[in-house]
Amino acid sequence: MTSHMRLTKTCQYCKELFIAKTTVTKYCGDACSKKAYKARKRKAKIEASNQQTVKEIQRPIEEIKAKEFLNIQEACQLLGISRTTLWRLVRDGKVKSSKIGRRVILHKNDLVTFLES
């Protein structure tokens, strides 16, 4: 059972008019169909890459939020400030710090208290 329909449609890839034999035809030919397929796959790969990048960026911050005590670098990442600014706050006594050997650590509650004041 064949249909003798002839529909004028616009190709979804190249935007040219063509004669379609069925109502579900989207592309004017095999070449446009293949190009559209490759474009969809390329877009999916880019989206997956972007999502992976976002996960990699958010992972360290989530790990830092779980800690009770932070070093200078972690505190800078959490607050979004530079090392110089954080050292200035420690020097001025606005943020309490402790030393263990040569390491300087900050209690996360002290940082929260500083931000709230």
Side-chain angles (χ1 to χ4, degrees):
M1 184 167 188
T2 60
S3 173
H4 297 291
M5 286 193 299
R6 299 291 183 252
L7 303 168
T8 303
K9 294 185 106 183
T10 303
C11 178
Q12 289 184 1
Y13 185 76
C14 68
K15 308 298 184 213
E16 296 290 324
L17 291 176
F18 70 99
I19 305 293
K21 295 180 182 178
T22 66
T23 58
V24 294
T25 305
K26 296 179 183 179
Y27 306 107
C28 60
D30 192 44
C32 283
S33 177
K34 288 179 180 179
K35 289 176 186 176
Y37 173 78
K38 285 186 177 186
R40 282 194 311 271
K41 289 296 181 181
R42 188 178 313 114
K43 185 178 178 182
K45 281 184 180 181
I46 291 170
E47 184 63 32
S49 174
N50 289 343
Q51 288 176 356
Q52 181 67 25
T53 303
V54 168
K55 283 182 183 178
E56 289 176 7
I57 290 171
Q58 290 176 350
R59 188 186 72 224
I61 292 177
E62 291 171 2
E63 291 173 359
I64 290 171
K65 286 181 180 179
K67 292 183 176 182
E68 185 80 20
F69 295 96
L70 306 172
N71 62 25
I72 295 295
Q73 180 182 1
E74 293 168 340
C76 290
Q77 267 188 319
L78 185 64
L79 298 176
I81 59 175
S82 69
R83 292 175 60 92
T84 307
T85 303
L86 186 58
W87 279 113
R88 190 177 308 122
L89 293 172
V90 170
R91 183 189 68 210
D92 294 343
K94 295 179 180 176
V95 174
K96 295 179 187 175
S97 66
S98 303
K99 280 189 98 168
I100 299 178
R102 296 183 68 184
R103 290 186 56 165
V104 175
I105 60 169
L106 306 164
H107 196 277
K108 190 165 60 171
N109 289 340
D110 293 337
L111 294 173
V112 171
T113 304
F114 167 72
L115 290 175
E116 289 176 350
S117 63

